[in-house]
Amino acid sequence: MNGDFRQQLRAWLADNLHGEFAKLRGVGGPGREHEQYESRREWDRKLAKAGWSCLGWPVEHGGRGASTQEQVIFYEEYAAANAPARVNHIGEELLGPTLIAFGTPEQQRRFLPKILAVEELWCQGYSEPGAGSDLASVSTTATVDGDDWVITGQKVWTSLAHEADWCFVLARTQPGSRRREGLSYLLVPMRQPGVEVRPIRQLTGTSEFNEVFFDNARTSKDMVVGEVGDGWRVAMATLAFERGVATLGQQVGFRRELDALIDLAKRNGAIDDPVIKERLTRSWIGLEVMRAHALRTLSRKDPGYEASVSKLVWARWHRELGELAMQVRGPESMVAVDGDLDEWQRLFLFSRADTIYGGSDEIQRTIIAERVLGLPKEPRA
Ligand SMILES: Cc1cc2nc3c(=O)[nH]c(=O)nc-3n(C[C@H](O)[C@H](O)[C@H](O)COP(=O)(O)OP(=O)(O)OC[C@H]3O[C@@H](n4cnc5c(N)ncnc54)[C@H](O)[C@@H]3O)c2cc1C
């Protein structure tokens, strides 16, 4: 069965990464989301039509009900074919599973088919200027007015908000509530007068994330996922999906980067430097360890602190890969020709963000210290 799955996928990718899509090989991903965006969207639609997206979703919701093992195979073959980074991952991997777990049948019928068909793209509206690591400090509010929620506040670092049709927003719906109480998880249309998206220019020169201002933005009353006031629980479930099988796809991307770097080191002679040779080897071992850890963790129903261990390990590993890439390239890595960054410079600069997003290193270590090692809790206001 798995052999068939692998063969079918391999054949499909070989047949379809052709013609107009051939140019998409190796394109896109963190720090490179601007590359061929529209064509990659078409590619995602093509994958979806052929049944190669939303693999882990249950069949009754339009997915394939694929096992973890099959999803691993998918990521392996996808990377081996050098297929492009997906544009639909926030809908497919974060919101879709959340709606399947917590959404009403109406919400599932309304949104899941559009995610499947890559007709509506999503962004994640959690972080605010005063609520990043301390997400429970969310201050964006939503109040009921007639048949609508009216949303006011500011989100920040909202990845791909400039492309998104909808945003899942964590907002305070109970006036005067504090911390995790009184929050709700709202689905808000992005294309309306009350929503302003301002791109943030990153170190890489490109803009993948944004500030998002909600100024009396509206969404209808039935656009709450889970119970009103129970948004924290739903928001945490989304984060668990973010740190689940989706991370395998990311690791496969890492392998592709490492393979390309080894190839570059062979071509430009950097491999003759014993220090570089050793660092490349260590990097390869690190990737094997991450893979083993991910597979072990994913086979558990409820990965807990392991997700923090994974986050710490992969973020540091990837940041070091960016630094190693600069070393392999040598002095050339210091020069941006005509102000344009090449893929290695982009990797180096963007990977600085790895130890911040999805929960910073410090926060992951606090989780491990307090919940696993039983060390004294840090003081809280
Ligand atoms: C590339 C990228 C994409 C992102 N995409 C999204 C997105 O799509 N949607 C979204 O909602 N958010 C997104 N984020 C935001 C991300 O979740 C936050 O940046 C992250 O949670 C950290 O919050 P902060 O930036 O406010 O930093 P802060 O929380 O202000 O932290 C600043 C520094 O202080 C440290 N620190 C904070 N609190 C503690 C503590 N208690 N103990 C020890 N150290 C502490 C942190 O580790 C960090 O080093 C993205 C961020 C990046 C970099």
Side-chain angles (χ1 to χ4, degrees), residues 4 16 42 46 68 128 137 150 214 241 244 271 319 347 376:
D4 286 353
N16 288 278
E42 282 312 309
K46 194 175 171 70
T68 302
E128 299 182 359
S137 290
V150 179
F214 296 99
F241 291 125
I271 203 76
R319 228 172 70 166
L347 167 68

Side-chain angles (χ1 to χ4, degrees), residues 30 90 94 123-135 155-161 168 202 208-209 239 242 350 352-364 366 378-380:
I90 298 178
L94 305 192
C123 61
Q124 179 179 26
Y126 284 13
S127 304
E128 299 182 359
S133 302
D134 186 19
L135 186 60
K155 297 291 174 181
V156 71
W157 318 125
T158 321
S159 298
L160 299 173
F168 45 97
Q202 300 159 192
E208 287 167 24
F209 51 35
L239 287 183
E242 187 171 3
F350 197 86
R352 313 312 290 175
D354 289 337
T355 51
I356 302 171
Y357 70 85
S360 70
D361 274 17
E362 289 78 9
I363 296 303
Q364 305 305 334
T366 299
E378 69 170 46
R380 287 187 168 85

Side-chain angles (χ1 to χ4, degrees), residues 20 46 60 65 67 103 134 142 158-159 165 201:
E20 56 172 322
K46 194 175 171 70
E60 63 267 32
S67 63
D134 186 19
T158 321
S159 298
D165 304 291
R201 191 165 184 267

